[in-house]
Amino acid sequence: MIETVIVLLIVAAAAVIIGRKFYKTLSGKGGGCGCGCSCGKKPDAPSCCDGHTVKR
Amino acid sequence: MKEKLVVALAGNPNSGKTTIFNNLTGARQHVGNYPGVTVERKEGSLKYMGVEMQVVDLPGTYSLTAYSAEEVVARNFIIDDKPDVVVDIIDASNLERNLYLAVQLMELNVPLVFVFNMSDMAKARGLEFDLKKLRQFFGVPIVTAVGSKNQGMNEILDKVIDVAMESSPQKHGQVDYGKEVSGELDIIAGMIEKSGETRYDPRWAALKLLEDDKDIKSQFLSPELDAQLKKSSDRIESLTGEIPETAIAGARYGFISGACQEAVRSTIEVRHTLSDSIDTVVANRVLGIPIFLGLMYLVFQLTFTIGDPFMGWIEEFFGWLGGVVDGFWPEGSESLLRSLLVDGIIGGVGGVIVFLPNILLLFLAIAVLEDSGYMARVAFIMDKLMHKIGLHGKSFIPLLIGFGCSVPAIMATRTLENRRDRLITMLVAPMMSCGARLPIYALIIPAFFPQSLNAPMLWIIYVIGIVVAIISAKALGATILKGESVPFVMELPPYRMPTVKGVLTHMWERGWLYLKKAGTIILGISIVLWAMTTFPRPSEEVKAGFESQRQAVEASNMPAEEKDDFIIDIDNAESEQALQNSIAGRVGMFIEPALKPLGFDWKIGTALIGAFAAKEVFVAQMGIVYSVGEADEESDTLRAKLEENYSPLIGFCIMLFCLLSAPCMATFAITRRESGSIKWAFFQLIGMTVIAYILTFIVFQAGTLLQIGVKL
């Protein structure tokens, strides 16, 4: 029973995270830089596939 | 002096700005030996001699006239953000051409430092510079450097601080535009000054207006100024016989040529450099394309032959890990958590990580080809072919970048001046096989084809991508995106020996990105897909039915070995039914009729849907389906399971469909952003899927008819 609850929680968390990611990438809103990664850059920031703003 | 200096790195494409940026900031931005690698500005920071600096790497430009998007990005940053110092990175081995931008920066009246980069190459070509004289001519401090060897970086920073600390503005050398042009410039500059314009230096804006700069023109819309501009242009043309743009460029080149004649000396006559000698073979009209195709073949051979043993080790590791985790539960346990960990996470994510060695090797080879300057030759040799389809060789560069990832490839289309060329290139770029598709090929090819055919099969898939992209571009150019391509002269950078650090850095960056993707988005999707292949669970009645079948077998008089086989069959049938009853199974069964003509079953169908999120998910989903759906653990690897269930023809059709069908979600998003319309993103998605469907249908039906590769 406890195992089932743990599994359901993990699946729910994964679904929410992936759902948010899909929504943000496809709508062009929010944190994604547009390349599909989870970098949290603004949409107008350089894509991380092409390099990000880097601090030394 | 300000607390934090803003330093902009400007320069021609392929002059080594990004290398110097990386040296200065410790960043690891992508560097390539072909123009157009940096299409957006990038920032990094550093502290030197107690001074904090923010370094901005601007896109490479040949001029400051708004011909293309990157020129506007670079110019607007210098004008609007007013950096404290602009460092112009100049390829010293191509001095005269690089100084054209330098002169335009001087005209902007911004604090400048000139860096004569690649000075070792200039020396090897027999060029000697009288830096003192050049400093006097230009009124700008000059530093020599070799970016690839990290030489001269401290000298650049010293000069930047010196310039930033200067109290009076630099007095740059002035280009003499001649009486005719200068007179008209004064009149237009006067009118601009009177209009109260403060964003631009009036004389600079007047120059740009005479150069017919569309961006600047759109900001000075007044009937009086328009009339004066026309009058001035006509007057210059009648007096000099040249349009103002040509007269202005001529004067700048005259200034540069004069300075170089005075201060640059060629010590040896180098008629044929090593680069020229290599190009006579590599960029040859007849041999060029066969050499490119041959090199591609070698790269794939390397990817498989060297990668395979490493892959085997990773596969064994995940097999062992799965066994260890499985061991925490009693044998035959129906624990959901066990299934999630072993079938979902280890089966899904592990299945993707297995192909890391192939990814690393492919990108190692691509990095060597890029850094050496060979990729620029590929664009050059494809130029003739590209012209035939209404584009030019420059469009091939984003397509080559597409071998890595479609996202930067689509961003690299910014280097194309013409919107039509840009849209066509953007739409076909995802047809070039990206790194994310490699795991699919690396899974399928060895499963269905003998080792001797591994590299040729991979080569065929990549070539199909290139050919279909070219044909699609031709079709687009002849139908919905009709028009002429802009003439362009291809630039061929000299060959350079790739540095070990540079090549390894590229390889590692790609590998790290792959691992990160596996540990984040693919992990998340694997969990969701596992749930979709597991729920809803079979009813108690169904379970009881299978259990009674098992009991009947156990109670029978048949030999023990036969009994075991029966029990395994019953177990497999139970797992298969559970899978078909799951959400993924139902979705797969629903779309199966549409995929049947391509030879795909519902399991492949669900994996193809998952691949829209990221192409690697196809591998993860097949791993999950075959872990959850088979109770028989004897055929341990996914490849073995695929080999049992599908024919080589279906294997090839899977690769073909994955190559050409809908691009991944990230590509969809970036196409939408770069084209400025969701319409084009949908057009690309639907168009590619239709092409993939038609081609796969033809291949499968023809293969079935001719009985090619149909045996399991």
Side-chain angles (χ1 to χ4, degrees):
Chain A
M1 183 64 193
I2 295 171
E3 268 192 16
T4 309
V5 172
I6 294 171
V7 167
L8 291 177
L9 281 175
I10 294 173
V11 172
V16 169
I17 294 166
I18 294 299
R20 267 170 60 95
K21 172 92 200 108
F22 278 24
Y23 171 73
K24 282 184 175 177
T25 306
L26 292 177
S27 64
K29 290 174 190 167
C33 70
C35 79
C37 74
S38 48
C39 64
K41 285 272 155 196
K42 285 179 191 166
D44 59 350
S47 157
C48 64
C49 294
D50 198 39
H52 265 148
T53 299
V54 192
K55 298 266 185 232
R56 195 175 195 176
Chain B
M1 198 170 66
K2 277 162 62 176
E3 254 181 45
K4 190 170 191 176
L5 293 179
V6 178
V7 181
L9 298 187
N12 277 193
N14 208 34
S15 61
K17 287 178 303 305
T18 307
T19 307
I20 290 184
F21 174 81
N22 289 346
N23 289 344
L24 293 177
T25 61
R28 287 182 303 178
Q29 297 292 353
H30 184 70
V31 182
N33 187 11
Y34 48 79
V37 172
T38 310
V39 287
E40 289 188 352
R41 65 181 221 224
K42 299 186 182 84
E43 296 175 21
S45 53
L46 65 104
K47 200 169 183 179
Y48 179 73
M49 307 285 276
V51 180
E52 283 216 46
M53 297 185 205
Q54 187 184 4
V55 186
V56 182
D57 182 22
L58 297 174
T61 60
Y62 292 104
S63 77
L64 290 178
T65 304
Y67 289 124
S68 62
E70 69 263 35
E71 280 165 341
V72 177
V73 169
R75 187 171 80 185
N76 287 352
F77 180 79
I78 295 170
I79 291 170
D80 296 330
D81 290 54
K82 296 190 175 27
D84 297 292
V85 180
V86 177
V87 177
D88 183 18
I89 312 293
I90 289 165
D91 173 0
S93 60
N94 280 306
L95 193 63
E96 292 201 26
R97 194 195 63 205
N98 277 248
L99 282 173
Y100 190 73
L101 175 72
V103 167
Q104 292 192 61
L105 288 168
M106 284 159 50
E107 285 168 345
L108 264 179
N109 270 330
V110 289
L112 281 168
V113 172
F114 287 168
V115 175
F116 281 16
N117 192 26
M118 306 180 202
S119 50
D120 55 341
M121 211 175 287
K123 199 174 171 189
R125 286 188 176 188
L127 295 173
E128 269 183 8
F129 307 114
D130 186 338
L131 293 178
K132 197 178 159 195
K133 263 192 189 168
L134 286 171
R135 274 184 211 119
Q136 284 169 352
F137 287 141
F138 298 129
V140 176
I142 300 171
V143 181
T144 56
V146 184
S148 60
K149 294 177 186 163
N150 205 5
Q151 290 170 3
M153 300 304 121
N154 286 349
E155 289 77 358
I156 296 174
L157 295 174
D158 287 336
K159 240 1 134 201
V160 164
I161 294 173
D162 288 350
V163 170
M165 285 173 76
E166 276 171 11
S167 50
S168 54
Q170 281 179 340
K171 280 190 181 161
H172 298 146
Q174 293 280 328
V175 177
D176 181 7
Y177 287 107
K179 209 166 62 185
E180 298 83 8
V181 178
S182 292
E184 300 305 320
L185 272 176
D186 289 342
I187 297 169
I188 299 167
M191 288 177 78
I192 293 171
E193 211 163 359
K194 269 188 201 158
S195 71
E197 164 59 41
T198 53
R199 187 180 173 203
Y200 304 108
D201 174 72
R203 193 176 159 84
W204 183 83
L207 259 174
K208 291 291 134 193
L209 287 173
L210 276 177
E211 280 183 285
D212 199 25
D213 186 304
K214 302 270 182 304
D215 184 45
I216 300 287
K217 261 187 158 175
S218 67
Q219 298 174 48
F220 289 94
L221 291 171
S222 90
E224 298 82 35
L225 197 59
D226 275 356
Q228 178 58 47
L229 209 53
K230 185 162 183 343
K231 206 171 134 190
S232 296
S233 297
D234 291 345
R235 194 173 145 72
I236 291 170
E237 204 170 338
S238 67
L239 289 171
T240 63
E242 289 171 327
I243 57 166
E245 208 179 338
T246 314
I248 290 168
R252 286 188 188 131
Y253 274 118
F255 174 76
I256 294 164
S257 173
C260 289
Q261 270 182 22
E262 289 285 328
V264 181
R265 201 164 67 91
S266 181
T267 53
I268 46 170
E269 183 74 17
V270 191
R271 280 182 178 275
H272 275 280
T273 62
L274 182 63
S275 283
D276 294 335
S277 315
I278 299 172
D279 278 343
T280 50
V281 181
V282 164
N284 183 284
R285 280 176 64 186
V286 182
L287 295 173
I289 293 181
I291 289 175
F292 168 56
L293 294 175
L295 271 172
M296 266 176 75
Y297 180 82
L298 273 179
V299 167
F300 299 142
Q301 187 73 42
L302 179 98
T303 306
F304 273 114
T305 47
I306 303 182
D308 255 8
F310 295 101
M311 245 181 69
W313 295 342
I314 302 178
E315 216 163 25
E316 272 173 30
F317 168 76
F318 280 109
W320 168 82
L321 188 67
V324 168
V325 175
D326 207 20
F328 292 142
W329 283 268
E331 205 175 330
S333 152
E334 282 195 13
S335 161
L336 270 180
L337 189 58
R338 184 207 66 82
S339 179
L340 169 65
L341 294 174
V342 178
D343 303 333
I345 297 177
I346 299 175
V349 178
V352 171
I353 292 178
V354 160
F355 301 105
L356 180 68
N358 304 76
I359 294 281
L360 290 175
L361 285 164
L362 180 72
F363 284 103
L364 173 82
I366 290 180
V368 170
L369 294 178
E370 276 184 355
D371 290 4
S372 64
Y374 176 71
M375 284 302 200
R377 268 71 189 177
V378 175
F380 175 76
I381 54 177
M382 294 302 280
D383 193 48
K384 203 176 160 195
L385 186 65
M386 297 300 276
H387 271 295
K388 282 192 182 155
I389 63 165
L391 294 170
H392 49 63
K394 202 179 176 188
S395 289
F396 203 68
I397 289 175
L399 297 184
L400 285 172
I401 295 174
F403 281 146
C405 174
S406 301
V407 172
I410 289 169
M411 289 178 69
T413 60
R414 289 181 183 191
T415 54
L416 304 171
E417 293 84 357
N418 181 319
R419 180 162 165 81
R420 169 191 166 271
D421 291 0
R422 208 182 151 200
L423 263 176
I424 294 177
T425 313
M426 199 183 287
L427 291 173
V428 303
M431 289 176 177
M432 307 298 280
S433 193
C434 67
R437 286 157 173 140
L438 185 67
I440 302 175
Y441 311 144
L443 169 73
I444 304 262
I445 292 174
F448 296 107
F449 302 96
Q451 204 180 1
S452 59
L453 284 180
N454 284 357
M457 286 313 296
L458 191 57
W459 181 84
I460 287 172
I461 285 292
Y462 272 73
V463 172
I464 290 174
I466 299 173
V467 172
V468 176
I470 288 174
I471 295 171
S472 306
K474 172 80 180 165
L476 284 170
T479 53
I480 52 172
L481 288 165
K482 272 186 187 167
E484 289 294 309
S485 68
V486 177
F488 179 78
V489 179
M490 281 298 299
E491 186 192 343
L492 287 185
Y495 286 100
R496 285 173 206 148
M497 184 58 81
T499 61
V500 176
K501 190 186 164 198
V503 168
L504 291 180
T505 304
H506 285 172
M507 184 180 85
W508 173 243
E509 274 171 358
R510 276 289 159 193
W512 179 236
L513 212 66
Y514 186 74
L515 281 177
K516 232 165 72 176
K517 209 169 166 189
T520 52
I521 191 159
I522 291 172
L523 171 67
I525 295 171
S526 293
I527 293 171
V528 174
L529 286 175
W530 169 83
M532 287 173 71
T533 47
T534 306
F535 298 108
R537 308 278 279 167
S539 65
E540 288 305 320
E541 263 176 47
V542 173
K543 279 186 187 172
F546 281 106
E547 192 49 46
S548 65
Q549 281 184 37
R550 266 189 288 265
Q551 281 170 1
V553 171
E554 291 286 0
S556 69
N557 296 327
M558 63 177 82
E561 216 170 276
E562 218 171 299
K563 265 187 195 174
D564 287 347
D565 286 346
F566 264 109
I567 299 280
I568 287 171
D569 285 346
I570 294 167
D571 287 350
N572 279 340
E574 188 178 8
S575 300
E576 183 72 20
Q577 195 176 345
L579 201 58
Q580 286 184 17
N581 185 51
S582 68
I583 300 171
R586 289 175 197 198
V587 172
M589 300 292 252
F590 178 73
I591 60 166
E592 196 180 44
L595 297 174
K596 259 283 181 268
L598 312 183
F600 301 163
D601 61 9
W602 67 268
K603 292 175 184 170
I604 298 172
T606 56
L608 289 174
I609 296 174
F612 176 63
K615 292 282 177 186
E616 301 93 329
V617 171
F618 180 89
V619 175
Q621 171 68 350
M622 292 306 275
I624 294 168
V625 166
Y626 279 98
S627 299
V628 175
E630 287 204 2
D632 171 17
E633 295 295 334
E634 270 172 36
S635 53
D636 49 355
T637 66
L638 180 55
R639 277 179 183 170
K641 285 170 183 168
L642 292 178
E643 203 182 345
E644 279 170 24
N645 289 283
Y646 304 107
S647 66
L649 178 63
I650 295 176
F652 184 81
C653 287
I654 293 173
M655 292 194 291
L656 187 64
F657 194 81
C658 288
L659 166 73
L660 299 172
S661 64
C664 68
M665 189 174 63
T667 307
F668 178 87
I670 206 83
T671 304
R672 179 190 172 181
R673 193 180 96 174
E674 294 294 312
S675 67
S677 159
I678 198 163
K679 187 183 79 179
W680 289 115
F682 272 116
F683 179 78
Q684 183 184 57
L685 189 141
I686 295 166
M688 282 181 68
T689 308
V690 168
I691 291 172
Y693 192 93
I694 293 171
L695 284 179
T696 312
F697 176 82
I698 293 170
V699 170
F700 181 70
Q701 295 301 333
T704 310
L705 202 69
L706 302 170
Q707 293 288 298
I708 301 169
V710 290
K711 280 188 187 157
L712 287 178

